Amino acid sequence: MNETRLQSRLAEIGATGCEMRVVAVLDEQGPIPQVGIAGLADIDRADLSTTLDRLEAGGYVTREPDPDDGRRKLVTLTEDGRARAAQLATVVAAVQAAVLAPLTDHEREQFVSLLRRLQPGADDP
């Protein structure tokens, strides 16, 4: 995906790439300890803290003590956060469609399949 195009579209709706990744992780995982988000979203801890502060100030997430370990914070999407996740997913899908537009449907499927194989932790063929 064209990173500049995606960043531009995210900026239009007041979002960043870090926010997009954090919201996507929370939408997929549900409530999760703050320490687990950084690895899943591929964000360093300093950026994660700043991103969570912005998301919390915007009303998109809440941070509460983890009932299983009071030293940790559980991060949860709010209703507004779930709506934001849907909005961000729509932006990503639109950018992806524009970037892949020159390819046929078969070529798109093949391309995306190959990209998934290159991701860390992907199953070997």
Side-chain angles (χ1 to χ4, degrees):
M1 195 172 345
N2 185 320
E3 212 42 50
T4 303
R5 189 180 302 191
L6 178 59
Q7 289 173 355
S8 175
R9 291 290 309 276
L10 290 173
E12 289 173 11
I13 61 169
T16 67
C18 286
E19 291 171 4
M20 177 197 67
R21 292 192 309 274
V22 168
V23 168
V25 164
L26 291 169
D27 192 42
E28 183 178 302
Q29 300 289 320
I32 186 173
Q34 184 170 325
V35 297
I37 296 171
L40 292 171
D42 193 28
I43 298 172
D44 69 51
R45 288 181 185 223
D47 287 341
L48 175 63
S49 180
T50 301
T51 299
L52 287 175
D53 288 345
R54 278 195 310 266
L55 290 170
E56 190 171 38
Y60 300 121
V61 301
T62 59
R63 289 187 271 193
E64 299 176 358
D66 184 337
D68 296 328
D69 183 345
R71 298 168 293 173
R72 295 189 308 194
K73 296 282 187 179
L74 277 181
V75 183
T76 305
L77 281 179
T78 63
E79 282 296 317
D80 287 343
R82 284 189 283 284
R84 184 66 158 178
Q87 179 186 36
L88 294 171
T90 299
V91 168
V92 170
V95 171
Q96 184 178 24
V99 169
L100 299 178
L103 303 177
T104 66
D105 288 343
H106 175 72
E107 290 169 332
R108 286 180 200 177
E109 290 173 20
Q110 186 176 27
F111 179 70
V112 171
S113 175
L114 292 170
L115 286 176
R116 285 190 179 124
R117 286 180 47 195
L118 294 175
Q119 290 183 353
D123 294 332
D124 289 62

